[in-house]
Amino acid sequence: MMEFRSMCLLFLILLISIMQPVFCVDDPVFNDDILGLIVFKAGLKDPNHKLSSWNEDDNTPCNWEGVKCDPSNNKVTSLVLDGFSLSGHVDRGLLRLQFLQILSLKGTIPEEFFQQCGSLRTVSFAKNNLTGKIPDSIGSCATLTNVNFSSNQIYGEFPSGVWFLRGLQSLDLSNNLLEGEIPEGIQNLYDMRELSLKKNRFSGRIPEDIGGCIVLKSLDLSGNFLSGGIPNSMQRLSSCNSLSLQGNSLTGNIPDWIGELKDLEKLDLSSNRFSGLIPKSLGNLDMLQILNFSRNQLVGNVPDSMINCSKLLAIDISHNQLFGHLPSWTFRIGLQSLSLSGNNYHGLEVLDLSSNAFSGELPSGIGGLSSLQLLNISNNNLSGSVPVDIGQLKSLYIVDLSGNKFNGSIPFEIEGAISLSELRLQKNFLGGRIPAQIAKCSSLTSLVLSHNKLTGSIPASIANLTNLQHVDLSWNELSGSLPKELTNLSNLSSFNVSYNHLQGELPVGGFFNTISSSSVTGNSLLCGSVVNHSCPSVHPKPIVLNPNSSGSNSSVSSQYHRHKIILSISALIAIGAAASIAVGVVAITVLNMRVRSAMEQRLATPFAFSGGEDYGNSPANDPNYGKLVMFSGDADFADGAHNLLNKESEIGRGGFGVVYRTFLRDGHAVAIKKLIVSSLIKSQEEFEKEVKRFGKIRHQNLVALEGYYWTSSLQLLIYEFLSRGSLHKLLHGDNNKNVLSWRQRFKIILGMAKGLSHLHQMNIIHYNLKSTNVLIHSSDEPKIGDFGLVKLLPMLDHCVLSSKIQSALGYMAPEFACRTVKITEKCDVYGFGILILEIVTGKRPVEYMEDDVVVLCDMVRGALEEGKVEECVDERLLGNFAAEEAIPVIKLGLICASQVPSNRPDMDEVINILELIQCPSEGQEELLE
Ligand SMILES: *[C@@H]1O[C@H](CO)[C@@H](O)[C@H](O)[C@H]1NC(C)=O
Ligand SMILES: *[C@@H]1O[C@H](CO)[C@@H](O)[C@H](O)[C@H]1NC(C)=O
Ligand SMILES: *[C@@H]1O[C@H](CO)[C@@H](O)[C@H](O)[C@H]1NC(C)=O
Ligand SMILES: *[C@@H]1O[C@H](CO)[C@@H](O)[C@H](O)[C@H]1NC(C)=O
Ligand SMILES: *[C@@H]1O[C@H](CO)[C@@H](O)[C@H](O)[C@H]1NC(C)=O
Ligand SMILES: *[C@@H]1O[C@H](CO)[C@@H](O)[C@H](O)[C@H]1NC(C)=O
């Protein structure tokens, strides 16, 4: 299945690939409009020769059919091609028409389109803004197997002629404005594998005869206005592995026979009006991975049989009317993960059964859910004690058991849940003391234990939880005084201990200087200024001598002296207190600077990290104290970071810095990049924000950023280490023994395209693509490194880009030289094009000869013009390459390296084209002709 668009691009590559005008947008003389229109025309089919007046040899396009210009500058302002019966691909050549104000293509699919369809098998109009109706003539195009109209504005009724296309294998009409009923007649499409009508306005019932499509693998009718029940014929869809009826108004029961659809991996019936019980037969769906029954009117309980759905990754049964005992199988799935690990089983990560009416005790075995990150069973009717094996859940990040009837005490074993960030146990019947061991949960930011029956004093060890922000212990029976150490909690933003039996002095300093009285109210024996209740003096008699006195004990003798002494004693106490507060604040600020970010990171992405850790030497004994943040894992350097950066471990150098190799304590190697553009780096805050963003990017074709180290003078980025080295080394290194094969080269090109496409999807421009920045994994999979580093610099100035960073000669897109052009991700596509040529030819982008400079892309383009392009392929391959792949790949490289950014394809298109090139036989068969 191919997209129309990529077919056209491929067509362009094959036919007009050499059209490469010398071009700079700054040049006012050059008439870009002609070129734009000719490129546009090349993508169109013009059965009535309406565009025959469009001749590239003309000096001006202004007399061309359908074209109108502004007479003052002869620039095209209007293009009206209505009724020309054009079809094909609206090329971005149009983007060159900088003065275009009116564009009318009246995009409908011409009725005749399907009348002479010959042996057309695949047709895709996907993702265009086509309007109008699907021509009825489609029914006469009997050879069609794959039809894709998705993501347009097509309206009207379902073209019932489609059901005559007996060979149809896939039909995608999703994301349009189609309405009316889906007609019957589908039952004759024995070959239909994929049917998507999602996000239209279809109403009425699901066709009763849909079960005739017995090889259907994927059925998506979501986001329509369908009503009625699930037709019984669907029982025959036993090959179906993805079924989505989400977001309709379907009613009735979920049929028992659903358990016979044994291949189902995804079942989404959410947001309908299904009622009744969840059928027991679901337990037979042993391939099921995703089950979504959310937002229906289901009653009863989740059947125990589902313990047999051993591949289940996600289950959403929220917003129903389920009740009864919490099904124990939800906890045993995790145990099975042990025996299923070989199947790529990831374990249950989220268990959200909140706000139902589950009762009874929490089954034991929760400790087996080893991947659990979020446990929310709040607002049910559960009783019994908090399971002790909660402490076995090392990934557990959020626990919410609030609003139940748990009793007993908080188990000290909770100390094992080392990733815990939020613990909510409020509104239960918990008694006993708060376990001091909770201090081991060092990531805790929220601790909410209010409305229970907790007794005893607040453990001072809580003061070690320096990440704490929200603490609510109100409405318990806590006694004793508030530990002074709590003032160490410098991230606190709320601390509520109201309505307990606390006594003594409120701590002074830190958050407690500004604590509101409502947070401490209801403790009649607390004293301090906040509660308006002065404390009895508890200071021991000072042993400070009056500095004015000469004798030993004479100072307390007179009234006058006594007064003076008292003054100086209170002054001393005050100064002493101030000093220790100041020291405390400084130390804590430093400490927290390093902890805070790790914490933010956890808050921002609760599930992405398995336990972000933050290491740093104590500020007290290291003057160069810095902050080291690893995004995952419990790793530490085998050696202090500074010592590592010596010549011996250096493995590379680039525009941004020097790269070293080192080992973490656990023995795994990492590459450390020491940024040498220190002086240009943004503030720490922005630096960290960007770096963390990069840290979240995980893709098999991108080098993973594992962490970073920050001091104001030294910044390190910690990357995964790839022992095989860079593409540059493999291509141009001096060992001629291990020449990359054609297969390997193709794989590298495709992989790079995927990596780059992923970056662009994340809105990251690489800016600095070159073969030294592409690392090769032992599996030949390429991984692009150094992405986004430009973002760390204060401004994206052209000078910075071209001089400092984009120093890599030959890869730099021409628009870097034209100040008026906005730099977009197309600059990466250019660099990618050069990389393609470099990989295929084995030559550097710019080679310096005796007294000559050879620019690779000019050289290849020249060879193509002379019809000798095959000679460009790396001679070390000794002719062992597939010319039918190599030549289109070279052409693709040249197109990517087009001078004009808008002529370069998107990376997504590049991937499509590469995949087409990879299987040329299939590709040609399906080419639209
Ligand atoms: C239809 O085209 C869209 C856009 O290219 C694509 O995402 C979708 O997978 C295609 N549908 C089928 C059934 O291949
Ligand atoms: C289709 O039109 C909508 C608005 O009418 C626009 O936002 C969207 O970008 C267009 N899509 C394409 C592929 O041109
Ligand atoms: C289930 O479907 C609902 C709405 O239909 C959606 O909001 C929710 O994210 C889905 N749950 C899962 C786990 O995909
Ligand atoms: C799970 O499957 C096994 C074997 O097919 C069966 O014996 C057992 O009854 C099933 N369990 C439940 C709870 O249905
Ligand atoms: C648990 O779920 C309830 C809703 O059912 C929600 O209000 C609450 O915020 C969730 N708890 C956490 C910690 O996310
Ligand atoms: C806080 O942690 C330190 C070091 O881990 C430990 O020595 C100290 O006893 C702890 N403080 C409390 C009050 O538990």
Side-chain angles (χ1 to χ4, degrees), residues 712-761:
S712 55
S713 59
L714 172 73
Q715 295 90 33
L716 308 178
L717 295 177
I718 301 157
Y719 289 102
E720 71 174 309
F721 175 72
L722 291 144
S723 58
R724 220 169 138 205
S726 71
L727 176 62
H728 183 89
K729 195 181 110 192
L730 289 176
L731 284 177
H732 313 302
D734 36 31
N735 67 333
N736 263 333
K737 291 181 300 245
N738 295 320
V739 175
L740 288 172
S741 72
W742 173 250
R743 256 317 103 233
Q744 287 172 312
R745 290 177 204 228
F746 195 94
K747 184 166 182 185
I748 290 171
I749 292 174
L750 185 59
M752 288 190 327
K754 287 179 179 166
L756 208 50
S757 154
H758 187 73
L759 277 185
H760 290 173
Q761 272 162 26

Side-chain angles (χ1 to χ4, degrees), residues 592-643:
N592 281 300
M593 260 167 59
R594 66 193 178 92
V595 179
R596 194 176 300 130
S597 70
M599 187 183 71
E600 283 164 2
Q601 166 193 102
R602 284 181 204 118
L603 286 181
T605 55
F607 306 119
F609 302 110
S610 63
E613 287 292 330
D614 194 359
Y615 305 85
N617 301 328
S618 131
N621 51 31
D622 183 358
N624 280 326
Y625 164 70
K627 157 174 174 173
L628 171 63
V629 175
M630 296 299 285
F631 297 137
S632 64
D634 292 321
D636 199 353
F637 289 118
D639 203 345
H642 288 271
N643 309 339

Side-chain angles (χ1 to χ4, degrees), residues 164-198:
F164 297 121
L165 302 173
R166 293 295 157 84
L168 208 55
Q169 293 176 1
S170 76
L171 175 66
D172 190 346
L173 304 182
S174 58
N175 291 300
N176 279 293
L177 308 170
L178 294 163
E179 60 192 1
E181 300 204 358
I182 307 170
E184 301 218 342
I186 188 176
Q187 61 182 335
N188 299 320
L189 303 186
Y190 305 119
D191 266 348
M192 183 75 110
R193 279 144 219 216
E194 194 172 350
L195 175 61
S196 175
L197 305 182
K198 83 172 169 198

Side-chain angles (χ1 to χ4, degrees), residues 478-550:
L478 298 168
S479 55
S481 58
L482 282 170
K484 299 218 167 357
E485 293 86 347
L486 292 175
T487 56
N488 291 355
L489 297 175
S490 64
N491 285 314
L492 272 188
S493 56
S494 67
F495 186 89
N496 190 348
V497 289
S498 56
Y499 302 101
N500 276 289
H501 309 306
L502 298 167
Q503 52 175 294
E505 199 178 355
L506 267 172
V508 179
F511 177 79
F512 291 89
N513 285 348
T514 55
I515 194 168
S516 73
S517 59
S518 62
S519 301
V520 291
T521 190
N523 293 284
S524 55
L525 297 174
L526 271 185
C527 66
S529 59
V530 180
V531 285
N532 251 335
H533 182 320
S534 62
C535 299
S537 175
V538 288
H539 300 301
K541 279 270 174 278
I543 9 157
V544 185
L545 297 179
N546 181 354
N548 296 334
S549 118
S550 46

